[in-house]
Each structure stands twice: as structure tokens, then as C-alpha cells.
Amino acid sequence: MGEKLKIAVQKSGRLKEDSLKILKECGISIDNGKDQLKASAFNFPLEVLYLRNSDIPQYVEDGVADIAIVGENVVIEKQKELEILQKLGFSKCRLAMALPKDVEYNGLEYFNGKRIATSYPNSLQLFLDENNLNCDIHVISGSVEIAPNIGLADGICDLVSSGSTLFKNGLREVEQILKSEACLVANKNISGIKQAILDRLMFRLKSVLAAKNNKYILLNAPNEKVNDIIEVLPGMKSPTIMPLAKEGWSSLHSVINENDFWGVIDQLKLNGAEGILIIPIEKMVL
Ligand code: ATP
Ligand code: MG
């Protein structure tokens, strides 16, 4: 059997499901027995190691795994020498400072001399250093949000996505320290066959991610409006134009970034576009 690339993914928790899903979208089928620490792909030279999120950066730095899917915040917190190859668009969150909701807050100076509870002491320390602040950092490994209520700390530094945990605990976000999402990271010394496998994986991944952000658009328009419509559609350099059975009308096909679509929809209609269809793209080969 030939050499395989080893990828670490989270064993259980927030990133696991989406990590396996994105590999699947890359056409990689994994033999997923329960309670396994290791699994192999059937149809791609990849071995999957299921590890704890917080241990992953160390394993990749040591080369136990060649690459991994892990939260960017964990990479920053662990301060390991890793290459961030690709942001993956899921598990988005931010590391933020929060205070009891009725505390009067008027800027970073407030934190000087305060006690801050966090599970991310290194990230917090970097932020404090950048802003010339001194705090008393209390490291706790979970349920950081209750620390102010039980008198353990004046404020917290924790990951936030919707903000509902903060709200439930009577806290309010006052500063954002960093933004994070799941990303593909790699050991700095991959080479040879493993690098070639990684290149193939990256090619697939980029096709999958591009497809997620883009949609296929079809619309009908009177022939005399076709040029105006091409002007309106961002990135529509060379759309496909086909005649409709109805005299004087054409069908336009192109690809559009989903974020751009809502911005131009009114102009499309003003220019006489009808029967607009937006269709998901399965893969987009770049
Ligand atoms: P381990 O796998 O080592 O037990 P964990 O318990 O911290 O780690 P999870 O809670 O499953 O693991 O996932 C934490 C990761 O999920 C974070 O590092 C971050 O990248 C991401 N994440 C996204 N949104 C949030 C959020 N609101 N709160 C905490 N983590 C979040
Ligand atoms: Mg956990």
C-alpha cells in the first residue's frame, strides 16, 4: 500500500460533523466505525485521526498528523508553527471580552487591574500586551460565563457565536479580540508524495468552496435588453446567450456570487429580466 496523508479532525464536538461533511463533498468516503480513533478513506490516500480539538495543533506541529481541520482560534491559542492553508467557512465565532451587563464600560482602560476569566489565556495575553493592559488572568477550562456571577472574576474572555450564552448569564460583549472559523492547517515540512496528495485535496477543496459561494443564474430577457443586463451582472463577462422559442427573447446563463445577487436583483427586473432562476452549483472547478 502506498503512502497516505494523515488528517486530524475533531473527535467529537462542534467541528466534527462539518469537517467530515466537507471531506465527503471532496469525494472522500471514510470508513466510519464508531469509537475509532483512526479511519481510512476508501477512495483517496487519506487517513483520518480523530483527536481532541485542543490537542490538534500540537499533533500537526509534531507531524503525527500532516494536516488538520481545526478552529483558527485554537491555532492562535496554542502558538504552534503551522501553515494555515484554507479557511473553510464553518464554525465561525469570535473571541470577545464581556462584562456584567450593568457595568459602565467606556473603553479598554476599564480592564486594567481587573480579574478576567478565560480558557484562552495566550490569546488574551496577546491582546492585553498589544493594548498595554495589565489584568489578572484566571484560567478555567469550561463554563467561563458563570465566573462573574460567582465572584471569581470581573469579566470574561470567551468564544461567542450568537451571543445567547452571554445574554443568559447577564453578560454583554464589549470588545472583540479575534475572529475565527474552521480552517485547514498543515505541518510546515510536508514534501514528496504527501505534498502531491495534499495538492490534490486542495484542488478539490477549492472547487467545493467556490461552489458554495456561487450560484448558477438563468434568466429570460428581451433581446434589446441583453446588453444592459450583462452590464448589471457583476462578473458576467461572457454569459451564455440562447434564443428562446418566443421571437425576440433570449435566455442568459451565468455564474454569480451569491452575495452580489441581492444587490442587483432590482436592476435586473428594471431591465426586463423575467423568469430568474438561481441554482446551487455542486462543484466549481477552478
Ligand atoms: P475538545 O475537542 O478538546 O474537547 P472543545 O470542548 O473546546 O475542545 P468544542 O466545544 O466542541 O471543543 O469546539 C470548540 C471550537 O468550536 C472552538 O475552538 C471554536 O473554534 C469553535 N466554536 C464555534 N463557535 C463557538 C462558540 N460559540 N463557543 C465555543 N466554541 C465555538
Ligand atoms: Mg469538548
Side-chain angles (χ1 to χ4, degrees), residues 10 12-15 52-54 71 73-74 91-93 120 159-161 180:
Q10 197 188 21
S12 63
R14 288 172 195 264
L15 281 85
R52 285 195 60 165
N53 197 33
S54 46
N73 62 296
V74 183
S91 289
K92 288 189 177 174
C93 60
Y120 304 96
L159 293 173
V160 184
S161 40
S180 174

Side-chain angles (χ1 to χ4, degrees), residues 58-76:
Q58 179 76 62
Y59 281 116
V60 177
E61 192 188 62
D62 292 346
V64 173
D66 304 300
I67 60 172
I69 297 177
V70 67
E72 210 177 333
N73 62 296
V74 183
V75 179
I76 294 166

Side-chain angles (χ1 to χ4, degrees), residues 235-247:
M236 198 184 203
K237 288 205 187 67
S238 188
T240 306
I241 301 174
M242 287 183 281
L244 289 186
K246 185 172 164 187
E247 190 78 19

